[in-house]
Amino acid sequence: MINSTFNQRSLVVAMTIAIATLATQAAAQAPADDQPRAKDDSVRLGTITIVGQGDKLGAGQLLKEDAVKARSTVTKDATEKDRATGNPYQALSLLPSVNTYNHDATGLFGGGISIRGFGADQIGFTINGVPVNDSGNFAVFPQEYTDQENLCTQTLSQGSGDYEAPHVGATGGSVGITMCDPENAQRFRVAQTIGGLNLSRTYVRADSGRFANDRAKVFVSYSHTQADKWKGLGGAKRDHVDAAFSFDISPDNRILGSVMYNTAVNNNIATLSLAQLNAGGYYYDFLSNFAPARLTPVNGTAQRETTLPQPNRYYKLATNPFENLIASLSGSFKLADNMQLKVQPYLWYGFGTGGTQHNTLSEKGFLDASNRIGGGTDINGDGDTLDTIVVANSSVTKTTRPGVTAEVNYQLGNHALKAGVWYERAEHRQTGPAVPVNAAGEPFDIWLRDGQILRPNGTPYQSRDWKTISPAYQLYVSDSFSFMNDRGLLQVGLRTPTVERNFTNFASEGTNSQTTFSFSKSYSEVLPQVGVRFNLDKEQQVFANIGKNFRAPPNFAFAPTNNNIRIVNGIPTLVGQIDAETSVSTDIGYRFQGKAFTFSVTGFDTQFKNRQANAYDPLLDRSIYTNAGGVNNRGFEFEFGTQPINGFSAYASLTSQKSKIKDDITVAKGQTIPTSGKQFTLTPELMAGLSVQYSSGPLYLRVKAKHTGRQYATLVNDESVPAYTTADFDAGYKLPNAAFFRNPMVRLNISNLTNEQYRNPSSSSVVNAKPIGATPAGNVFYYLGAPRLLSVTLSADF
């Protein structure tokens, strides 16, 4: 059932032939050297801009780089040809070391990503310089943040992040996403997408053009998107607003501002174990009919409603409603000759729930006056509290996260000096309310805000009730020293991130959660980074970089469900050891940046320490959330791109890596699992990406392919994930202008051309899939690859 269209050897051979052919043609017909190059943004912090007006390298999949470390960038020239509903994970998919998948072809349902073996919750993500990882567990939700049409660059630093990176949870590099500025000319754009799965998307954007003596410009856009799931019933509905402005106070002083608002309601797509996949088939999903049926309330009779094992829950009780807002203001101000001040305040807000809400609740399962389970509430209205009733219940999260970064830049001869400070205060409120479900299986409120079931004392039932205040800050300094007439660049810097977890558990009906307590712990680290880049000549350069990275424990490490906090004489005490994760990442590389094509190779080594996971503590004689050893990952990354030659341009990447777990893991008393020497999960040894584009006049055609080699689903490597290759086709044609509109464009997008069936693990932390001694088998669940999808987009300017 799971097949691979091409094996690894044939893919590498095909890529090699394509690269060699295009490189030969490119060298023979080299154009002028005005190629686009990455440069640090002069206003926003931690972002890049593009300089150079030449044709796009590698069909927009890369820029010329002068960084002292590995860095890859996807530009608007590539993403504007993607399906309009896509998300950043899809945009980054061809880059070196990126192992990514999406839950569906539209990008509306999210996905997963790992880079050099590090998951999304270990990679620092920013949008316009604003950190967007969840402040509690560092998770990333790519479908929520942006509309792809409004983005200019999406940049990946595979090893270490930048000195000013505003992160306390990034041991595995960083991703920076940057919105385009408003257009200089007035424009009103409309785009309509339709496709399979009842896909429909309407996008409108208005640009003011320059006004106020050409000093200001503004844009605002709105999109509405909806589509059905590719398996099972249900779908996704998303409304999104982006807005931005630019104001030039003077030639040396400028302000940029942006707002991104998103609200969406998705029905989840079920993950399956191999046993469920084999029994139910590739399209097995949540139930299309509500079952088991509700019982008729009878006074004085103990009635017990039940649920079926996952994924046999009703699809209308497996939803993910969420809304979020990202607002930022970036200013650059000249303080003196050679001195510039950058300031960037921001606000991140989010509210929503997820997972499966199809659960049951005992009418005697409420807190009583003594905060013990046993209080009674009549849920079904039959006049007694004897029943167990189906309800809608899951975790709800509300986050309010203001912050600010300020930086001073000073040019002292050949030294570009930076000094800055970052501060934010994240309030993370996590609850578990429940609402009634009617006879048709529909919850009273899918957001779980209205109609909440109450305890006997009138307060809402909560399956968890946590509040985490996480003040975070850092100081950073760096020096970029240019030498030998700018042939060489030496960068030295450090940052000192600190985060304090102020965790409060309010008494609730959750497991081990009947005691209210507060606990605080701080984590900090000094993170040095040193890099050098040297130009051998005008076309060749070498670079090397080494940096230390840091990830504080997530807030749930201190929750009563993880056994780390014990109440001793009324005082909450941390009984286990939870250290921050750290990594030391080294890049050594070579770049050839000719007029016709660009090529780079990077060798990397990452030493990862204090990996956080659930493990057995022999002193406490129980499983806790703690540190579970280290991992070493090393390998090579190759990247290649051509200028357009006779209408053809190409991009290719190849990653060869080997990860090694350094320690065994103890899961219970006397049960140590032999993970030492095994390959880390979600880390394929081989990955390859290819994009070949033909463009002539109003027409373009593009084929993209991605090969993901075999990877493991468990830490003990007893369940593997077969290799797979997917391919997409994109085409577009610019129609003639007409009296009432201009730049009309029709685009065709076909994803998963060969209808490849494949799977990706939903978690990287499952230890074993088969019993090992007294240790039972763990549960590995998979997201399945979405089938072929075709869509068409028509756009025009007015």
Side-chain angles (χ1 to χ4, degrees), residues 417-435:
L417 305 174
K418 287 183 181 181
V421 59
W422 165 64
Y423 175 82
E424 75 167 24
R425 182 184 185 275
E427 180 173 330
H428 203 57
R429 194 75 172 89
Q430 297 168 282
T431 56
V435 301

Side-chain angles (χ1 to χ4, degrees), residues 54 105 124 172 186 235 258 408 417 480 496 623 648 692 751:
Q186 191 176 83
S258 64
V408 174
L417 305 174
S480 298
T496 59
S623 178
F648 286 95
V692 178
S751 53

Side-chain angles (χ1 to χ4, degrees), residues 114-172:
S114 63
I115 300 170
R116 293 186 182 176
F118 291 94
D121 60 351
Q122 298 168 304
I123 302 164
F125 280 74
T126 60
I127 298 179
N128 292 342
V130 178
V132 296
N133 296 72
D134 185 273
S135 65
N137 64 4
F138 307 117
V140 178
F141 306 98
Q143 73 274 26
E144 295 176 357
Y145 304 130
T146 63
D147 270 343
Q148 286 281 78
E149 294 100 327
N150 299 330
L151 301 181
C152 268
T153 60
Q154 299 178 61
T155 299
L156 165 64
S157 295
Q158 286 94 339
S160 297
D162 296 326
Y163 303 111
E164 64 267 34
H167 301 298
V168 292
T171 42

Side-chain angles (χ1 to χ4, degrees), residues 33-45:
D33 187 13
D34 187 26
Q35 298 171 352
R37 183 177 297 274
K39 181 182 178 181
D40 288 344
D41 195 307
S42 61
V43 182
R44 296 187 182 99
L45 288 157

Side-chain angles (χ1 to χ4, degrees), residues 210 620 732:
R210 286 198 171 271
L620 300 174

